[in-house]
Amino acid sequence: MASSSGPLNDELQCSVCLDVFSDPVTTPCGHNFCLTCLKECWKDTDTCICPLCKENFMKRPDLRINTTLREVVQLFKEKFPLRKSEVSCDMCTEKNKAIKTCLICRSSYCKTHLQPHMRVKRLKKHTLISPVENLDDYICQKHERPLELFCRDDQICVCLSCIEGDHKTHNTVPIEEESQERKTQVVKTQEDVQLMIQDRIKKIQDIRNSAEMIKNNIDEENSDTVEIFTDLIHSMERCHSKLMKKMEEKQKTAEKQAEDLIKDLEKEISELKRRNIELEQISNNENDLHLIKIYPSVCKPVNMKNCSEISLDSASVYTVTALTQLKETLDHKLVRTVLMRMQQFAVDVTLDPDTASPKLILSDDGKQMRHGGIEQDLPDNPERFDTVSNVLGKEGFSSGRFYFEVQVKEKTAWDLGVARESVNRKGTIKLSPKQGFWTVWLRNGKDYTANAGPAVSLSLKVKPQKIGVFVDYEEGLVSFYDVDSSSHIYSYTDQSFTETLYPFFSPCNNDNGKNSNPLIILPVRKWMKK
């Protein structure tokens, strides 16, 4: 067998070969053996019996190497190097290999010399153990008797004489019992280690899957980013090309205008020079009568353009106009791209009837709500809004991101957003983040407001027909979008969410039929990339 002064030496020893485990396997009864030893025991037999506890297995067990125990054995060997040592028989002159050591006789015996211990009644009572060289480790140094008991109070091995003295009142048990308990603990520890290994193997796989998912997402992001920026670059190039064309046309027009004006002015200059010569001749004429007669025809007003009014239109707003149009185009494309991203987090929202105001009528599928005009007889449970016409979604979110869309077509008033779980649901309610509501609303068919506390008036170019609501829990973000026009409405940023958030809806009062249309939760139709 292998000898060592290290701990767990017995626990790591195969009871068949009496050596440290080699490729250990575990039987269904929980005992461990070397793979080759167990195969040898079950060789040429249909009956599979545990060599240690003798349990009979009806079906030959599927033996697999206990990798955890093998690793423990390897670590044990590295920390406490095991050396092969054959204990010699103390009775043999040729020093044959001993198979047992007697703690009473304090001698080791080979198979032949062990026979008396097998048949002599007195010797049968002796304590036999696997052959060892260091017999002193198994003998009480104080009483010179075998260490047969274990003191649990002092955590040491003792002999029978010890329990009559210093350990008389201590909790002592046979060494075999303590060893069996420790083996049981070793098996339990081994099972715990195996579970830890399995957990870590699973965690490694989870991490690899997450890393692969992140890689795929980044690859997709990179691809989309290239596509987005390529599209934006093309948009800028098209805008630049149109601007250059307009400026070239402007230049050609200005050049033609200047050429025509110059021709007209040169023609007028020729006419004025001719008139100047005539006037000079008249002024030098000494015939007074002739001067008086021709004066009216020579000095009549000249039909010429006013030079102060002649100019080229140098003012140009082409660049400003082009940049404004480019900004609008880029804003539209960017918002559209953002919405495409957000739609990846679309969730199926269903209305919770237990939270609905008695004034609201919900559709059977839980996707529509409208003001019924009269109050229904419903249980006043704690979750229900009792006064205002509000309702929450069934599904709550306490992490991650989510997105949903609501049709607000042909309505003159509505409220939309999210609310935390603990919001007040009774009596008059003020919508603001401080009260646990992150919302926008419409009033009077035209007045849009973000209820940010204080309220923020919103100026929208077009009246939204479909509102998209996006929430990033960890980022503290709640954003609202006009889906059809791909435009941003409002965002709550840098919020701190500590509770579960629920989608929040209010179709508001029907206003004598003017606002009778329902709010409708729509399935999100993801845009296709162009």
Side-chain angles (χ1 to χ4, degrees):
M1 66 168 259
S3 64
S4 171
S5 59
L8 294 179
N9 190 43
D10 293 337
E11 287 78 1
L12 300 180
Q13 176 180 299
C14 173
S15 60
V16 177
C17 67
L18 303 180
D19 201 351
V20 174
F21 290 122
S22 175
D23 291 334
V25 293
T26 305
T27 59
C29 58
H31 295 122
N32 299 305
F33 305 93
C34 298
L35 177 61
T36 54
C37 293
L38 202 54
K39 284 184 175 179
E40 187 65 27
C41 290
W42 293 348
K43 184 179 179 182
D44 300 328
T45 179
D46 296 331
T47 304
C48 298
I49 300 175
C50 174
L52 194 60
C53 70
K54 307 305 179 183
E55 181 176 342
N56 191 351
F57 309 119
M58 302 301 295
K59 181 181 178 182
R60 181 179 289 268
D62 181 16
L63 299 177
R64 296 185 180 180
I65 294 175
N66 188 326
T67 55
T68 302
L69 182 55
R70 184 172 63 182
E71 290 174 2
V72 171
V73 170
Q74 184 60 36
L75 291 172
F76 179 80
K77 287 180 178 179
E78 292 174 359
K79 188 170 184 180
F80 304 100
L82 307 176
R83 57 183 179 84
K84 273 291 196 178
S85 175
E86 290 188 357
V87 178
S88 299
C89 176
D90 293 329
M91 307 301 294
C92 291
T93 56
E94 298 180 358
K95 298 300 181 184
N96 290 325
K97 179 181 177 181
I99 62 170
K100 290 292 181 180
T101 295
C102 177
L103 295 181
I104 304 300
C105 301
R106 300 195 188 182
S107 298
S108 298
Y109 302 101
C110 65
K111 185 175 183 181
T112 301
H113 290 108
L114 186 64
Q115 291 305 313
H117 282 77
M118 301 291 103
R119 64 173 184 269
V120 179
K121 186 176 181 180
R122 178 178 58 83
L123 296 179
K124 282 183 177 182
K125 297 180 180 180
H126 287 194
T127 304
L128 297 176
I129 64 172
S130 298
V132 294
E133 291 180 336
N134 50 334
L135 267 173
D136 289 344
D137 292 344
Y138 297 83
I139 304 297
C140 177
Q141 300 301 309
K142 182 176 181 180
H143 303 106
E144 296 292 320
R145 298 184 67 177
L147 297 171
E148 301 179 81
L149 302 170
F150 182 79
C151 176
R152 289 180 171 172
D153 291 346
D154 294 335
Q155 292 290 299
I156 60 172
C157 294
V158 296
C159 69
L160 291 173
S161 297
C162 291
I163 63 172
E164 296 175 358
D166 296 340
H167 300 272
K168 185 174 183 179
T169 60
H170 291 185
N171 179 17
T172 57
V173 294
I175 284 181
E176 293 79 5
E177 180 180 337
E178 182 67 20
S179 175
Q180 191 58 45
E181 285 196 18
R182 295 201 176 191
K183 285 180 180 179
T184 302
Q185 289 299 319
V186 168
V187 172
K188 184 181 182 303
T189 302
Q190 177 186 344
E191 292 173 351
D192 293 341
V193 169
Q194 289 175 338
L195 286 176
M196 292 171 67
I197 291 172
Q198 292 172 3
D199 288 344
R200 279 151 182 77
I201 290 174
K202 183 178 182 300
K203 180 58 67 175
I204 288 173
Q205 189 59 45
D206 291 343
I207 292 172
R208 284 175 177 165
N209 291 340
S210 297
E212 183 65 23
M213 185 181 298
I214 291 172
K215 179 181 180 298
N216 293 336
N217 289 340
I218 290 177
D219 288 344
E220 183 179 350
E221 289 267 355
N222 286 337
S223 176
D224 291 346
T225 300
V226 170
E227 183 178 338
I228 292 167
F229 277 91
T230 300
D231 188 21
L232 294 178
I233 290 170
H234 288 166
S235 295
M236 288 188 286
E237 288 175 345
R238 287 192 295 271
C239 180
H240 182 249
S241 178
K242 289 180 181 179
L243 177 59
M244 293 300 293
K245 185 176 180 180
K246 284 187 177 181
M247 293 177 72
E248 288 175 2
E249 292 174 354
K250 170 69 174 178
Q251 181 179 349
K252 289 179 181 179
T253 300
E255 289 176 350
K256 179 67 167 59
Q257 184 183 9
E259 184 179 345
D260 292 342
L261 288 173
I262 289 172
K263 285 181 179 180
D264 290 343
L265 289 172
E266 286 178 344
K267 185 177 180 181
E268 289 184 354
I269 289 172
S270 298
E271 177 63 24
L272 289 171
K273 283 182 177 180
R274 185 186 62 77
R275 176 67 64 88
N276 184 55
I277 292 173
E278 290 179 356
L279 292 173
E280 185 176 354
Q281 290 175 350
I282 292 173
S283 64
N284 294 328
N285 191 343
E286 294 180 355
N287 188 335
D288 295 332
L289 181 59
H290 181 261
L291 174 62
I292 292 172
K293 286 182 178 181
I294 66 173
Y295 177 79
S297 61
V298 175
C299 293
K300 66 182 180 179
V302 181
N303 185 19
M304 297 289 179
K305 295 179 179 179
N306 187 347
C307 286
S308 63
E309 297 177 357
I310 300 174
S311 65
L312 292 176
D313 183 13
S314 59
S316 174
V317 293
Y318 290 131
T319 301
V320 175
T321 302
L323 291 176
T324 301
Q325 292 174 347
L326 176 61
K327 181 181 182 302
E328 292 176 354
T329 300
L330 296 182
D331 286 346
H332 176 77
K333 288 181 178 293
L334 289 173
V335 173
R336 183 180 177 88
T337 301
V338 169
L339 277 173
M340 288 174 63
R341 292 288 181 202
M342 291 179 176
Q343 286 176 338
Q344 297 177 6
F345 303 99
V347 293
D348 183 17
V349 176
T350 305
L351 299 173
D352 184 357
D354 291 337
T355 67
S357 163
K359 299 176 183 178
L360 296 182
I361 298 177
L362 310 185
S363 62
D364 292 339
D365 63 358
K367 299 295 183 181
Q368 300 186 29
M369 72 221 80
R370 62 182 178 86
H371 192 279
I374 58 173
E375 187 166 318
Q376 304 171 79
D377 185 15
L378 296 175
D380 187 20
N381 49 285
E383 297 83 10
R384 191 181 307 283
F385 291 95
D386 63 349
T387 303
V388 290
S389 304
N390 299 341
V391 61
L392 299 179
K394 279 185 179 179
E395 301 79 10
F397 304 88
S398 56
S399 64
R401 290 166 280 191
F402 62 95
Y403 173 85
F404 60 93
E405 293 179 353
V406 183
Q407 179 177 299
V408 295
K409 187 177 181 180
E410 297 180 0
K411 289 192 67 61
T412 60
W414 48 258
D415 304 349
L416 284 178
V418 293
R420 67 184 178 216
E421 188 173 18
S422 64
V423 292
N424 175 38
R425 309 186 188 194
K426 307 300 180 182
T428 303
I429 294 174
K430 179 177 177 59
L431 298 183
S432 71
K434 187 176 181 180
Q435 303 301 321
F437 297 91
W438 291 266
T439 62
V440 295
W441 74 19
L442 168 67
R443 294 292 185 268
N444 306 317
K446 57 182 176 58
D447 300 326
Y448 295 91
T449 302
N451 301 298
V456 177
S457 185
L458 306 174
S459 178
L460 306 183
K461 291 184 178 180
V462 295
K463 185 175 182 178
Q465 304 297 304
K466 187 191 302 181
I467 303 292
V469 183
F470 175 75
V471 177
D472 189 325
Y473 194 96
E474 282 73 21
E475 290 295 325
L477 172 68
V478 182
S479 293
F480 300 84
Y481 291 87
D482 180 347
V483 178
D484 295 329
S485 67
S486 300
S487 58
H488 175 248
I489 296 175
Y490 187 79
S491 285
Y492 292 90
T493 59
D494 299 325
Q495 304 297 303
S496 179
F497 301 134
T498 57
E499 297 182 27
T500 301
L501 298 179
Y502 290 85
F504 171 84
F505 311 88
S506 175
C508 297
N509 295 335
N510 61 19
D511 193 17
N512 296 322
K514 296 179 183 179
N515 189 39
S516 60
N517 275 23
L519 287 179
I520 304 174
I521 302 171
L522 299 173
V524 176
R525 297 180 180 177
K526 298 180 180 180
W527 287 326
M528 299 298 293
K529 297 178 185 178
K530 293 185 177 180

